[in-house]
Amino acid sequence: MVRDVIIIGSGPAGYTAAIYCARALLNPLLIAGYSYGGQLMLTTLVENFPGFPEGILGPELMQKMEEQAEKFGTEIIKRDATKVDLTTRPFKVWVEDELYEANALIIATGAKPRLLGIKGEKELLGRGISTCAPCDAPFYKNKEVIVVGGGDSAMEETLELTKHVSKVTIVHRRDQFRAQKILQERVLSNPKVNVKWSHVVEEIVGKNKVEGVILKDLKTNETYFYKCDGVFIAIGYEPNTELFRGQLEMDEKGYIKVKDYTKTSVDGVFVAGEAFDYRYRQAITAAGDGCRAALDAIKYVDELKSKKA
Ligand SMILES: Cc1cc2nc3c(=O)[nH]c(=O)nc-3n(C[C@H](O)[C@H](O)[C@H](O)COP(=O)(O)OP(=O)(O)OC[C@H]3O[C@@H](n4cnc5c(N)ncnc54)[C@H](O)[C@@H]3O)c2cc1C
């Protein structure tokens, strides 16, 4: 059975694409992944997704998106796609040894924030640990937070945080930042910011929420407790695009290259969300991309059908 469309990935981009394709009667198959629901499953309250004036819990929002996709006839497999072949038509997608084929493919495999891999991190993610200042900074009004990192994104996260918090301490393992000079200047001239140069975070401490961190001074090897209310990790993201390496054009960091909004280097393969978008990184923009990719895939499938007729 060759399907009209397969969608791989189940964050806001994948579910939105599924809702549009299902309502267009393409009977989409959504390969949602073992970590279905995407990054919002890692957070608590989402306050900037339109339609929820009181906010909505990340997992609840993703559950609603899943229900909406299913309601219109999306078939969902909650396992990972393990191999694809985009060189033949129809496109082939494997989930372990099961083969699925489709005329169009939407890639919505998202990205994952790089984490520190230290004690306390997994337990407190979404409970005082964040990887998204534009999403979570307003929760830290007049509080003290640390930012881990020294590149552009750490500077941007810091500047966003200074609008809300009383103090930001940047913890950086080197004795200078990698970020653009102009961003460094803005950060370093802000009276709310101080920097712990040549320091690393060894542990994040707290029972149900962050209470502080254990810092290590790399110059003296001294470790000590540093009180803070939140930890923003800004050491970069990794797109989940390994599966498509060698088959789709990507940039040097592995983000899929797009042309004409949603099209990839292979005709009939579309991309949505953070698998290509390293700039906006928001649920609403990912959902918007999912809508665009679906509309383009629907048009592509319709044209294919009318050529065959
Ligand atoms: C802690 C945290 C808090 C956040 N808070 C907010 C917020 O308040 N507001 C906001 O707008 N944004 C927030 N964001 C950002 C938002 O979550 C992302 O912008 C959005 O989820 C990106 O959506 P996406 O659909 O591109 O991909 P993702 O959400 O990354 O989802 C991709 C999905 O694809 C799956 N996948 C990957 N590979 C495969 C495969 N081979 N087979 C099958 N499935 C696969 C993954 O497991 C995942 O489920 C937050 C992010 C984090 C980490």
Side-chain angles (χ1 to χ4, degrees):
M1 171 192 172
V2 177
R3 291 158 198 269
D4 286 327
V5 62
I6 293 178
I7 300 155
I8 309 179
S10 60
Y15 281 134
T16 305
I19 293 164
Y20 274 76
C21 289
R23 291 191 73 251
L25 307 180
L26 295 195
N27 303 315
L29 171 67
L30 177 72
I31 303 178
Y34 289 107
S35 309
Y36 55 87
Q39 295 172 55
L40 285 187
M41 301 297 275
L42 303 175
T43 195
T44 49
L45 201 60
V46 177
E47 286 193 317
N48 55 8
F49 198 88
F52 301 96
E54 309 305 325
I56 180 164
L57 294 173
E60 194 187 339
L61 178 60
M62 298 321 297
Q63 175 64 33
K64 283 183 186 291
M65 287 192 198
E66 182 184 320
E67 280 167 24
Q68 198 170 349
E70 269 188 322
K71 175 180 160 186
F72 295 109
T74 305
E75 183 186 342
I76 300 180
I77 297 179
K78 289 183 172 170
R79 288 186 288 148
D80 283 354
T82 46
K83 190 173 134 191
V84 296
D85 184 352
L86 310 181
T87 60
T88 55
R89 307 297 164 98
F91 301 121
K92 294 182 168 48
V93 181
W94 283 267
V95 175
E96 283 131 33
D97 53 3
E98 288 160 24
L99 170 65
Y100 298 92
E101 294 181 299
N103 289 317
L105 191 64
I106 297 176
I107 297 170
T109 47
K112 47 183 167 302
R114 278 202 200 108
L115 296 175
L116 299 165
I118 55 173
K119 199 171 162 205
E121 184 180 48
K122 218 167 145 196
E123 298 80 346
L124 294 166
L125 197 62
R127 297 172 189 280
I129 302 179
S130 173
T131 54
C132 179
C135 314
D136 294 334
F139 297 125
Y140 295 87
K141 208 167 169 36
N142 299 325
K143 298 202 163 167
E144 296 190 12
V145 300
I146 68 162
V147 169
V148 187
D152 286 354
S153 60
M155 301 301 112
E156 279 162 8
E157 298 273 295
T158 300
L159 291 170
E160 182 60 32
L161 282 159
T162 55
K163 296 177 196 158
H164 304 270
V165 304
S166 59
K167 182 177 166 193
V168 185
T169 302
I170 303 177
V171 178
H172 186 45
R173 62 193 160 131
R174 301 209 169 85
D175 54 12
Q176 57 184 17
F177 291 137
R178 275 177 295 113
Q180 297 171 48
K181 284 278 174 282
I182 186 156
L183 287 175
Q184 293 194 33
E185 276 165 23
R186 274 186 216 151
V187 162
L188 294 171
S189 62
N190 190 307
K192 286 187 180 175
V193 177
N194 79 91
V195 185
K196 294 274 183 196
W197 301 106
S198 306
H199 274 66
V200 288
V201 182
E202 288 222 312
E203 186 183 333
I204 303 173
V205 182
K207 286 230 167 68
N208 284 316
K209 61 180 179 61
V210 169
E211 289 159 22
V213 290
I214 306 288
L215 292 182
K216 179 175 183 181
D217 183 334
L218 295 175
K219 294 220 159 129
T220 62
N221 275 338
E222 181 201 359
T223 54
Y224 56 96
F225 177 77
Y226 190 79
K227 193 180 166 311
C228 64
D229 305 295
V231 176
F232 284 77
I233 300 170
I235 54 171
Y237 283 79
E238 268 171 47
N240 301 319
T241 55
E242 197 54 40
L243 193 61
F244 313 102
R245 197 169 284 278
Q247 304 200 48
L248 291 177
E249 280 179 20
M250 295 178 188
D251 70 10
E252 68 286 353
K253 290 188 174 155
Y255 289 95
I256 294 172
K257 284 193 180 169
V258 275
K259 49 183 180 180
D260 196 13
Y261 297 102
T262 67
K263 294 178 186 161
T264 68
S265 52
V266 173
D267 200 29
V269 179
F270 304 87
V271 62
E274 290 189 13
F276 88 92
D277 173 26
Y278 48 81
R279 180 170 174 157
Y280 297 106
R281 298 193 178 286
Q282 295 298 296
I284 189 68
T285 52
D289 291 338
C291 161
R292 285 205 263 229
L295 293 176
D296 287 345
I298 294 163
K299 187 162 175 275
Y300 177 85
V301 169
D302 283 350
E303 283 171 2
L304 211 61
K305 282 181 182 163
S306 56
K307 270 187 212 156
K308 279 185 189 161

